[in-house]
Amino acid sequence: MSTAAVSLGTPAAPGLGERLWRINWGLILVLTAIAGIGTVALYSAAGGRFDPWAARHAIRFGAALAVLLATAMVPPKVWLTLAWPMYAVSLLLLVAVDIAGTGRMGAQRWLMVGPMQIQPSEITKVAVILVIARYYHGLTREQAGRFLYVLPPLLVIIVPVGLVMVQPDLGTAMMVLLGGAALLFVAGVRVWMFLAAAVAALGCMPFAWSFMHEYQRKRVLTFLDPERDPLGAGYHITQSKIAIGSGGLFGKGFLQGTQSSLNFLPEKQTDFIFTTFVEEWGMVGALVLLALFALVLVWGFSIALRSQHHFGRLLALGVTSMMFLYVFINTAMVMGLLPVVGVPLPLVSNGGTAMIAVMFACGLLIGVNVYRDAQFPLVR
Amino acid sequence: MRYRKGDGERSGLFTRRTLLLGGAQAVLLSTLAGRLYQLQVLDTQRFATLAEENRINLRLLPPPRGLIFDRTGQPLAVNRNNFRAMVTSDRGRGVEILVERLDQILNIGEAERNRLLRELRRSRNAQPTVVRENLGWEEVARLEFNAPDLPGVFIDLGQTRDYPEGELMSHIIGYTGRVSDEDLVGRDDPLLQLATIRFGKKGVERSLEDDLRGRAGAVQVEVNAVGRVVRELDRAEGQPGSNALLTIDLDLQRLAAERLKDHQSGSVVVMDVVTGDVIVMASTPGFDPNVFARGITQSEWRDLLDSPERPLNNKAIAGVYPPGSTYKVVTALAALESKAIDPWTVLPCPGYLTLGDIKFHCWLKGGHGGLAVVQAIAQSCDCFFYEAARKAGIDRIADTASRLGFGKLSELGLPGESPGIQPSRPWKQEKYNKPWQQGDTFNLGIGQGYMNATPLQLAVMAARVANGGYEVQPNLLLAKATPREELVPPPPRETPVAQSLRFDPKNIALVREGMTQVVAAGTASMLKVDGQGKPLPPELMFAGKTGTAQVKRITERERDMGITQASLPWHLRHHALFVCWGPVPNARYACAVIIEHGMAGGATAGPIGRDVLVETMKRDPSRHVDRFKKMASR
């Protein structure tokens, strides 16, 4: 079989030199720049100290970079094989979190593994992408368009969404749902099905409302009208807008932010790190950071489009969509365009699991580029 | 190869849809840029202001309240350190637990707990709230020990008022309390918005409030989200309140209060007839103003309000009594001034006069026969003054009385002063819508009927007669000075600066002579000797006028049944009054005494007036400013 493939003129698996050459070093440079901005912002959030966040952030990025490179060198075939087991493990971890997790602000999100805190929902996001990519890799266009064939991937999305909603983690649920939808869309699911799903979702809204936690309802109401409780639930978003707005065009200057250094900003080192950065660096800094993320997305799209195999295409696009959702949901939230849901800004927010997961995903993305012309049989 | 079959088809679809998705993402990212522009360019000024407001907090520094001393420099109102527990809440979070813990440590009680919860929940901008004032050392220690469990609680060193003389000076000094809405009328001092500031409520604390308060300092601080001060940005020192010297002589005040103690309630006022300085102003019973400083309880307040002796009332200025025979000074002067009588006019006294079918009795059964004005004053002959009043006429009497200070507020400035009542034709017309009657004039002639006056007004009358007819005004403030200036009494003065009341000096001299005869050979001749029975030396001789004011008229039938003043219940007995001045003839001090329901003026009020006046003349506080001592601790 393999000799036959070679005889058909398909290129052999690339050698080590070729593989290293194909790694998107420019993309890695952009990711490093983003992590650098994160380190600067965390240094500032700690009041001009490397402790407790900035130093660990930089070190962690070094480790995550190694993970990325190692991941990029693994042939996609391996991920194809590992997709379902990884998905299964991530589901188990989610269940474990629901049972034995620790957390704060009414949500269980962490799992203690020895001294390490891991957040299984971050692993889930990648696992869902892998499984869906694997599934559509084995379908023809006609099959992908058929209604019955859309049910398995829907189930793959719905189960983890349900599990993270229980925690409750509205941010991850939204990301998995929207990320999955993006994958189904590019995989060829008919547009009328999306419209039907949207209508159904609208119809279910009152139902969902009754299942929401008190703090989630509060967040939604507060998002709709932040002034209704400026010292309570609306406090976060009001203070964040004050910080961003008062930064102006060029910012207050490095270490000069008053809102974050005087603790008016909540969660300044995690979900609101963008605010901390933008208060000090202004609109210019914000646009630079957004442009860097946009570069990552452009890179992701081009890798997806250049992949010779469907699994790679879908995997690359899934990772790219995930990055987009991270960035968009987080920044729109701190600017008061979306309700406050717990989504970190990748590579900038303080947090270990999220960074490893993002870098692992980027490793997969680069791996798609490295093995863009690999050929492997369809497996069901 | 199966995996290649149809891949072109699905890859084409993938590419189209990916580009669509990429476009959508680009649009969404542009939205973010637009939002940034809106926040950071269009609205940046508004947000910059909000950020500054978050960061900068202006805190007022309350200045120390001015101190009050008597004329000899003894402290009457001072400031004492007050450790208060204060709390700032983090936007109302966790207040229930916090208040619960505070209750365990300080035992603050149900009502206070509810007040705290209410104030903490609505507190914005982390303005501190008072938990408890006047903490003891033990309570401070317990709070400090538990500090880690009490976020936002801190101990603040403030000041409270302390009144070392307590009840003795309670009516003059008054007390302070929380600022009320009416206190704010006409005052826009930002200091009054502070939760810890106290405002004068009564007495001098009230009348000198705007001097004593001082000006607020301010400190601009940078605060963090829970209101904790991070650093000080700017500081403007305030100005401490002015200190004040009162005209009161504390030792004489104490003597007067001492002498009043034998009676349930009464009042003594001593005035300098040249300067108007109030040397003594006693009113018994009093209250302890320190109770107000530490916070009065509901039941303590009720007790003070419900007492029949009205301890909260400064009887020297707020108590009104019919002046009785002391008013005969006014009637005599009015009759002389109207030329209805002359020094030799003898008016008959057969024991009573009749007007229509009403008999007006003289106090001396059988009557005085006939007397001229000096002897009439000395013997306090009622018939003489019925007739003199009739001859002078109501208008003349009202005018003379008004010039002597009756029926209107003095310029003393203490809150709660009563103007008393000086009846006149227009007054009766307005009040009762009835014309003035001859009988009213008869009653007024002997200080009864509608007539009402305060002890202060009686002292003012005596002073104005004693100084030869000058319009001296009572005055409580000897000197005031900011803490940077020196606080010393002014140099002594020997002639009045007040305007003359333009009475004929001969008439004033006749009235003075009448009052001198009261003590020399008249109704108060028993006061010629001191308490031990020794005759007073000539330089301490004084003049006076007794008065016994009727509260309930004892009818002839009751008198026949043997009912006397002493057998009546306390609240129905006559008031005892005595006004006096001395030394004779060069008067310097005037004194008025009233013993509520003291029955007989000469016997009850007289000795008190004599003792206080004689002691005042001996010490002569107006001339002996050398007795002033500066407080060592100032």
Side-chain angles (χ1 to χ4, degrees), chain B residues 291-321:
Chain B
V291 172
F292 289 87
R294 70 156 157 74
I296 190 164
T297 65
Q298 197 62 241
S299 69
E300 284 170 325
W301 176 243
R302 276 252 74 85
D303 286 350
L304 285 175
L305 277 186
D306 292 346
S307 167
E309 291 151 1
R310 304 186 312 282
L312 288 174
N313 215 331
N314 183 359
K315 297 182 182 75
I317 58 168
V320 288
Y321 312 90

Short mmCIF file of all heavy atoms in Angstrom, two decimals, chain B residues 291-321:
data_model
loop_
_atom_site.label_atom_id
_atom_site.label_comp_id
_atom_site.label_asym_id
_atom_site.label_seq_id
_atom_site.Cartn_x
_atom_site.Cartn_y
_atom_site.Cartn_z
N VAL B 291 -22.88 64.10 80.38
CA VAL B 291 -23.75 63.02 79.94
C VAL B 291 -24.10 63.21 78.46
O VAL B 291 -24.15 62.26 77.69
CB VAL B 291 -25.03 62.98 80.79
CG1 VAL B 291 -26.03 61.99 80.21
CG2 VAL B 291 -24.68 62.62 82.22
N PHE B 292 -24.27 64.46 78.07
CA PHE B 292 -24.57 64.74 76.66
C PHE B 292 -23.35 64.49 75.79
O PHE B 292 -23.45 64.03 74.67
CB PHE B 292 -25.04 66.18 76.48
CG PHE B 292 -26.42 66.43 77.03
CD1 PHE B 292 -26.60 66.76 78.35
CD2 PHE B 292 -27.52 66.32 76.20
CE1 PHE B 292 -27.87 66.98 78.85
CE2 PHE B 292 -28.80 66.54 76.69
CZ PHE B 292 -28.97 66.87 78.02
N ALA B 293 -22.17 64.78 76.34
CA ALA B 293 -20.94 64.62 75.56
C ALA B 293 -20.70 63.14 75.26
O ALA B 293 -20.25 62.79 74.17
CB ALA B 293 -19.76 65.21 76.31
N ARG B 294 -21.03 62.27 76.23
CA ARG B 294 -20.76 60.86 75.96
C ARG B 294 -21.95 60.18 75.27
O ARG B 294 -21.88 59.06 74.84
CB ARG B 294 -20.41 60.12 77.24
CG ARG B 294 -21.57 59.94 78.20
CD ARG B 294 -21.36 58.75 79.13
NE ARG B 294 -22.14 58.87 80.35
CZ ARG B 294 -23.44 58.68 80.41
NH1 ARG B 294 -24.14 58.41 79.32
NH2 ARG B 294 -24.08 58.80 81.56
N GLY B 295 -23.08 60.91 75.16
CA GLY B 295 -24.24 60.32 74.50
C GLY B 295 -25.28 59.98 75.53
O GLY B 295 -25.10 59.05 76.32
N ILE B 296 -26.37 60.72 75.54
CA ILE B 296 -27.37 60.54 76.58
C ILE B 296 -28.30 59.39 76.21
O ILE B 296 -28.61 59.18 75.04
CB ILE B 296 -28.16 61.86 76.78
CG1 ILE B 296 -29.04 61.79 78.02
CG2 ILE B 296 -28.98 62.20 75.55
CD1 ILE B 296 -29.52 63.14 78.47
N THR B 297 -28.74 58.63 77.20
CA THR B 297 -29.67 57.54 76.91
C THR B 297 -31.09 58.07 76.95
O THR B 297 -31.37 59.14 77.48
CB THR B 297 -29.55 56.41 77.95
OG1 THR B 297 -29.97 56.92 79.21
CG2 THR B 297 -28.13 55.88 78.05
N GLN B 298 -31.96 57.29 76.37
CA GLN B 298 -33.36 57.66 76.27
C GLN B 298 -33.96 57.95 77.66
O GLN B 298 -34.65 58.94 77.87
CB GLN B 298 -34.10 56.49 75.61
CG GLN B 298 -35.46 56.83 75.05
CD GLN B 298 -35.39 57.88 73.94
OE1 GLN B 298 -35.96 58.93 74.08
NE2 GLN B 298 -34.70 57.61 72.84
N SER B 299 -33.65 57.09 78.65
CA SER B 299 -34.29 57.23 79.97
C SER B 299 -33.70 58.42 80.73
O SER B 299 -34.42 59.13 81.43
CB SER B 299 -34.12 55.94 80.77
OG SER B 299 -32.78 55.77 81.14
N GLU B 300 -32.40 58.67 80.54
CA GLU B 300 -31.81 59.84 81.18
C GLU B 300 -32.47 61.12 80.65
O GLU B 300 -32.74 62.06 81.39
CB GLU B 300 -30.31 59.90 80.90
CG GLU B 300 -29.49 58.91 81.71
CD GLU B 300 -28.05 58.82 81.23
OE1 GLU B 300 -27.80 58.94 80.01
OE2 GLU B 300 -27.18 58.62 82.07
N TRP B 301 -32.71 61.11 79.36
CA TRP B 301 -33.32 62.27 78.71
C TRP B 301 -34.74 62.50 79.22
O TRP B 301 -35.14 63.61 79.54
CB TRP B 301 -33.28 62.06 77.20
CG TRP B 301 -33.95 63.12 76.38
CD1 TRP B 301 -35.02 62.97 75.57
CD2 TRP B 301 -33.57 64.50 76.28
NE1 TRP B 301 -35.34 64.16 74.98
CE2 TRP B 301 -34.47 65.11 75.39
CE3 TRP B 301 -32.57 65.27 76.87
CZ2 TRP B 301 -34.40 66.46 75.07
CZ3 TRP B 301 -32.50 66.62 76.54
CH2 TRP B 301 -33.41 67.19 75.65
N ARG B 302 -35.49 61.39 79.34
CA ARG B 302 -36.85 61.49 79.84
C ARG B 302 -36.89 62.06 81.27
O ARG B 302 -37.69 62.92 81.59
CB ARG B 302 -37.52 60.10 79.86
CG ARG B 302 -38.13 59.68 78.55
CD ARG B 302 -39.67 59.72 78.61
NE ARG B 302 -40.19 61.08 78.59
CZ ARG B 302 -40.42 61.79 77.46
NH1 ARG B 302 -40.19 61.25 76.30
NH2 ARG B 302 -40.91 63.01 77.51
N ASP B 303 -35.97 61.55 82.10
CA ASP B 303 -35.92 62.01 83.48
C ASP B 303 -35.71 63.52 83.54
O ASP B 303 -36.34 64.22 84.33
CB ASP B 303 -34.79 61.31 84.24
CG ASP B 303 -35.15 59.86 84.55
OD1 ASP B 303 -36.33 59.50 84.34
OD2 ASP B 303 -34.26 59.11 84.98
N LEU B 304 -34.79 64.01 82.69
CA LEU B 304 -34.50 65.44 82.69
C LEU B 304 -35.73 66.23 82.24
O LEU B 304 -36.05 67.29 82.78
CB LEU B 304 -33.33 65.75 81.77
CG LEU B 304 -31.94 65.38 82.30
CD1 LEU B 304 -30.88 65.62 81.24
CD2 LEU B 304 -31.62 66.18 83.55
N LEU B 305 -36.41 65.70 81.24
CA LEU B 305 -37.56 66.42 80.68
C LEU B 305 -38.74 66.44 81.65
O LEU B 305 -39.47 67.41 81.73
CB LEU B 305 -38.01 65.77 79.36
CG LEU B 305 -37.26 66.18 78.11
CD1 LEU B 305 -37.93 65.54 76.90
CD2 LEU B 305 -37.22 67.69 77.95
N ASP B 306 -38.93 65.33 82.36
CA ASP B 306 -40.14 65.18 83.16
C ASP B 306 -40.04 65.79 84.55
O ASP B 306 -41.04 65.92 85.24
CB ASP B 306 -40.49 63.69 83.30
CG ASP B 306 -40.93 63.11 81.96
OD1 ASP B 306 -41.21 63.92 81.06
OD2 ASP B 306 -41.00 61.88 81.83
N SER B 307 -38.85 66.17 84.99
CA SER B 307 -38.71 66.69 86.34
C SER B 307 -39.47 68.00 86.49
O SER B 307 -39.39 68.89 85.64
CB SER B 307 -37.23 66.92 86.64
OG SER B 307 -37.12 67.70 87.82
N PRO B 308 -40.27 68.16 87.59
CA PRO B 308 -41.04 69.40 87.79
C PRO B 308 -40.13 70.60 88.03
O PRO B 308 -40.57 71.74 87.89
CB PRO B 308 -41.89 69.10 89.02
CG PRO B 308 -41.17 67.99 89.73
CD PRO B 308 -40.48 67.20 88.69
N GLU B 309 -38.90 70.35 88.39
CA GLU B 309 -37.99 71.47 88.65
C GLU B 309 -37.28 71.95 87.39
O GLU B 309 -36.45 72.84 87.44
CB GLU B 309 -36.96 71.05 89.71
CG GLU B 309 -37.60 70.86 91.07
CD GLU B 309 -36.86 69.82 91.91
OE1 GLU B 309 -35.85 69.28 91.43
OE2 GLU B 309 -37.29 69.57 93.04
N ARG B 310 -37.58 71.31 86.26
CA ARG B 310 -37.07 71.71 84.95
C ARG B 310 -35.55 71.96 84.94
O ARG B 310 -35.09 73.06 84.69
CB ARG B 310 -37.80 72.96 84.45
CG ARG B 310 -39.31 72.79 84.40
CD ARG B 310 -40.02 73.96 83.79
NE ARG B 310 -39.60 75.25 84.29
CZ ARG B 310 -39.98 75.78 85.46
NH1 ARG B 310 -40.77 75.10 86.26
NH2 ARG B 310 -39.55 76.98 85.82
N PRO B 311 -34.75 70.90 85.21
CA PRO B 311 -33.30 71.09 85.29
C PRO B 311 -32.67 71.57 83.98
O PRO B 311 -31.61 72.20 84.01
CB PRO B 311 -32.77 69.71 85.68
CG PRO B 311 -33.87 68.75 85.36
CD PRO B 311 -35.14 69.52 85.50
N LEU B 312 -33.29 71.26 82.83
CA LEU B 312 -32.70 71.68 81.56
C LEU B 312 -32.89 73.17 81.32
O LEU B 312 -32.24 73.76 80.48
CB LEU B 312 -33.34 70.90 80.40
CG LEU B 312 -32.94 69.43 80.29
CD1 LEU B 312 -33.75 68.75 79.20
CD2 LEU B 312 -31.45 69.31 79.98
N ASN B 313 -33.82 73.76 82.08
CA ASN B 313 -34.21 75.15 81.87
C ASN B 313 -33.24 76.09 82.59
O ASN B 313 -33.01 75.94 83.78
CB ASN B 313 -35.60 75.31 82.48
CG ASN B 313 -36.42 76.27 81.70
OD1 ASN B 313 -35.87 77.17 81.09
ND2 ASN B 313 -37.73 76.10 81.73
N ASN B 314 -32.70 77.05 81.88
CA ASN B 314 -31.88 78.07 82.53
C ASN B 314 -32.83 79.13 83.07
O ASN B 314 -33.23 80.04 82.35
CB ASN B 314 -30.90 78.67 81.53
CG ASN B 314 -29.98 79.68 82.20
OD1 ASN B 314 -30.09 79.94 83.40
ND2 ASN B 314 -29.08 80.25 81.41
N LYS B 315 -33.19 79.01 84.37
CA LYS B 315 -34.22 79.89 84.92
C LYS B 315 -33.79 81.35 84.93
O LYS B 315 -34.63 82.25 84.98
CB LYS B 315 -34.59 79.44 86.34
CG LYS B 315 -35.19 78.05 86.32
CD LYS B 315 -35.61 77.59 87.68
CE LYS B 315 -36.14 76.18 87.61
NZ LYS B 315 -35.06 75.17 87.44
N ALA B 316 -32.49 81.61 84.88
CA ALA B 316 -32.02 82.99 84.89
C ALA B 316 -32.49 83.75 83.67
O ALA B 316 -32.70 84.96 83.72
CB ALA B 316 -30.50 83.02 84.98
N ILE B 317 -32.64 83.05 82.55
CA ILE B 317 -33.04 83.75 81.32
C ILE B 317 -34.34 83.21 80.74
O ILE B 317 -34.98 83.87 79.93
CB ILE B 317 -31.95 83.68 80.24
CG1 ILE B 317 -31.62 82.21 79.91
CG2 ILE B 317 -30.70 84.44 80.67
CD1 ILE B 317 -30.78 82.08 78.66
N ALA B 318 -34.73 82.00 81.13
CA ALA B 318 -35.91 81.38 80.53
C ALA B 318 -37.06 81.26 81.52
O ALA B 318 -38.18 80.99 81.11
CB ALA B 318 -35.56 80.01 79.97
N GLY B 319 -36.76 81.42 82.82
CA GLY B 319 -37.83 81.35 83.80
C GLY B 319 -38.51 82.71 83.89
O GLY B 319 -37.85 83.74 84.04
N VAL B 320 -39.85 82.74 83.80
CA VAL B 320 -40.55 84.02 83.91
C VAL B 320 -41.45 84.01 85.14
O VAL B 320 -42.13 83.03 85.40
CB VAL B 320 -41.37 84.35 82.64
CG1 VAL B 320 -40.44 84.70 81.50
CG2 VAL B 320 -42.27 83.19 82.27
N TYR B 321 -41.38 85.09 85.90
CA TYR B 321 -42.11 85.19 87.16
C TYR B 321 -42.72 86.58 87.26
O TYR B 321 -42.13 87.55 86.77
CB TYR B 321 -41.15 84.99 88.34
CG TYR B 321 -40.25 83.78 88.17
CD1 TYR B 321 -39.00 83.91 87.55
CD2 TYR B 321 -40.66 82.54 88.63
CE1 TYR B 321 -38.19 82.80 87.39
CE2 TYR B 321 -39.84 81.42 88.47
CZ TYR B 321 -38.60 81.56 87.84
OH TYR B 321 -37.82 80.47 87.68
#
